[in-house]
């Protein structure tokens, strides 16, 4: 588990993205943002708590400023089979019990060895540990996702993924987008940024991180990191390493 306090002080529109291997628990401190998920839009305000499981595609639109705390709970090799008619995420509107428990949890992670910290009981129901009977197409998608996870630091053309799953490129892309919520190439870029965020937390040297996550150079890395995260890697490092 890890935590951070994130500040956005100007307009930024995040592309549609997801978190493939972690749950995020975000508590809004100040400002507002529009959250888009499954063709629905929600206005996030101070006191709101947003819980997003792995593989739930979403987009955030910040018009002025937005400050929030985030707790990230890893879940390795997740593949959550959601009903596309369901929202997928949870928004709790300014609930004093949840907010109190969240702030206690955040402070424990920030000041202690988080390997020994237990998830508060009120948040355990949001951690989906169910297993699903996967259809043949979902099994193929899972193979593609594992392949992307294991090879994210090199170019992976769609043709390689379609060959792996024995589907045509067009069929594979339609299947991927319908179930994951973003295109395979957007997912690969998303995955590289998520890996970079993990590396930044524990490593120095942005040039090495850029190459290790599959970017051509640091300039290329900085550009896509800012598009996806809303700030350059240096500023992100300053925020997450101070918590």
């Amino acid at each position: 588990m890890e935590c951070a306090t994130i500040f956005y002080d100007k307009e930024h529109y995040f592309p549609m993205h997801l978190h493939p291997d972690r749950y995020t628990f975000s508590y809004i401190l100040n400002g507002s943002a529009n959250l888009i998920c499954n063709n629905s839009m929600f206005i996030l305000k101070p006191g709101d708590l947003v819980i997003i499981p792995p593989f739930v595609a979403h987009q955030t639109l910040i018009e002025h400023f937005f400050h929030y705390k985030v707790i990230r709970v890893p879940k390795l090799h997740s593949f959550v089979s959601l009903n596309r008619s369901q929202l997928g995420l949870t928004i709790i509107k300014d609930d004093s019990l949840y907010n109190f428990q969240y702030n206690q949890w955040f402070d424990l992670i920030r000041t202690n060895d988080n390997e020994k910290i237990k998830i508060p009981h009120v948040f355990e129901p949001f951690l989906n540990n169910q297993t699903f009977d996967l259809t043949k197409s979902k099994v193929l998608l899972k193979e593609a996702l594992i392949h992307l996870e294991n090879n994210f630091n090199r170019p992976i053309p769609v043709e390689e993924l379609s060959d792996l799953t024995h589907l045509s490129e067009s069929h594979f892309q339609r299947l991927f987008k319908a179930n994951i919520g973003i295109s395979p190439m957007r997912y690969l870029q998303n995955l590289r940024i998520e890996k970079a965020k993990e590396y930044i937390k524990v490593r120095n040297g942005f040039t090495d991180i850029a190459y290790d996550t599959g970017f051509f150079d640091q300039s290329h890395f900085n550009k896509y990191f800012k598009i996806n995260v809303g700030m350059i890697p240096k500023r992100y490092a300053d925020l997450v390493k101070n918590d």
Side-chain angles (χ1 to χ4, degrees):
M1 285 183 286
E2 61 182 26
C3 67
T5 303
I6 308 295
F7 301 87
Y8 294 103
D9 295 317
K10 58 184 178 181
E11 178 183 81
H12 189 78
Y13 294 167
F14 295 86
M16 191 67 72
H17 66 285
L18 50 79
H19 310 290
D21 60 357
R22 65 196 59 227
Y23 293 83
T24 61
F25 293 75
S26 300
Y27 176 68
I28 314 308
L29 295 169
N30 206 349
S32 65
N34 295 326
L35 176 66
I36 298 172
C37 180
N38 202 16
N39 297 318
S40 299
M41 186 171 74
F42 307 88
I43 299 175
L44 303 181
K45 296 182 178 180
D48 291 350
L49 179 61
V50 185
I51 303 165
I52 304 179
F55 285 100
V56 174
H58 58 284
Q59 183 176 18
T60 310
L61 312 177
I62 299 170
E63 294 184 350
H64 301 292
F65 65 95
F66 191 53
H67 300 174
Y68 66 98
K69 294 179 177 179
V70 61
I71 296 172
R72 303 182 181 97
V73 180
K75 182 174 175 60
L76 298 178
H77 307 299
S78 299
F79 186 78
V80 179
S81 179
L82 289 173
N83 182 333
R84 300 304 294 175
S85 66
Q86 295 176 340
L87 179 60
L89 55 77
T90 301
I91 300 174
I92 301 171
K93 306 296 286 186
D94 200 12
D95 184 292
S96 58
L97 171 62
Y98 280 104
N99 294 352
F100 176 75
Q101 292 286 334
Y102 181 92
N103 285 314
Q104 278 198 324
W105 186 21
F106 186 95
D107 289 341
L108 282 171
I109 295 171
R110 185 179 58 183
T111 58
N112 294 274
D113 179 2
N114 64 61
E115 295 293 330
K116 300 177 181 179
I117 294 172
K118 292 184 178 180
I119 296 167
H121 292 306
V122 295
F123 296 119
E124 287 180 350
F126 298 102
L127 301 174
N128 190 335
N129 292 315
Q130 291 180 285
T131 57
F132 296 88
D133 293 326
L134 298 181
T135 63
K136 181 180 178 180
S137 61
K138 297 291 181 64
V139 170
L140 294 176
L141 277 176
K142 187 173 182 179
E143 289 181 11
L145 291 169
I146 292 172
H147 187 74
L148 287 163
E149 172 76 25
N150 292 336
N151 298 277
F152 68 89
N153 58 351
R154 66 170 178 82
I156 305 177
V158 174
E159 181 183 7
E160 181 176 331
L161 297 171
S162 65
D163 288 346
L164 176 71
T165 55
H166 306 290
L167 300 171
S168 69
E169 288 188 37
S170 59
H171 186 184
F172 174 78
Q173 294 205 71
R174 286 196 301 270
L175 184 67
F176 196 99
K177 180 73 179 292
N179 286 273
I180 307 302
I182 54 179
S183 71
M185 293 302 99
R186 168 67 69 183
Y187 179 85
L188 177 59
Q189 183 187 108
N190 184 147
L191 183 59
R192 288 170 172 167
I193 295 297
E194 290 294 309
K195 295 294 184 181
K197 287 161 68 176
E198 292 178 19
Y199 292 161
I200 286 171
K201 184 78 176 179
V202 296
R203 290 171 51 182
N204 297 314
F206 298 119
T207 300
D208 288 342
I209 291 174
Y211 287 124
D212 289 347
T213 51
F215 290 94
F216 299 131
D217 51 37
Q218 189 174 342
S219 175
H220 185 234
F221 172 54
N222 287 351
K223 174 184 175 181
Y224 283 98
F225 194 93
K226 187 172 183 180
I227 289 171
N228 285 270
V229 184
M231 60 188 75
I232 61 173
K234 174 65 168 62
R235 182 170 178 234
Y236 182 80
D238 291 341
L239 289 175
V240 298
K241 289 183 177 181
N242 286 335
D243 277 305

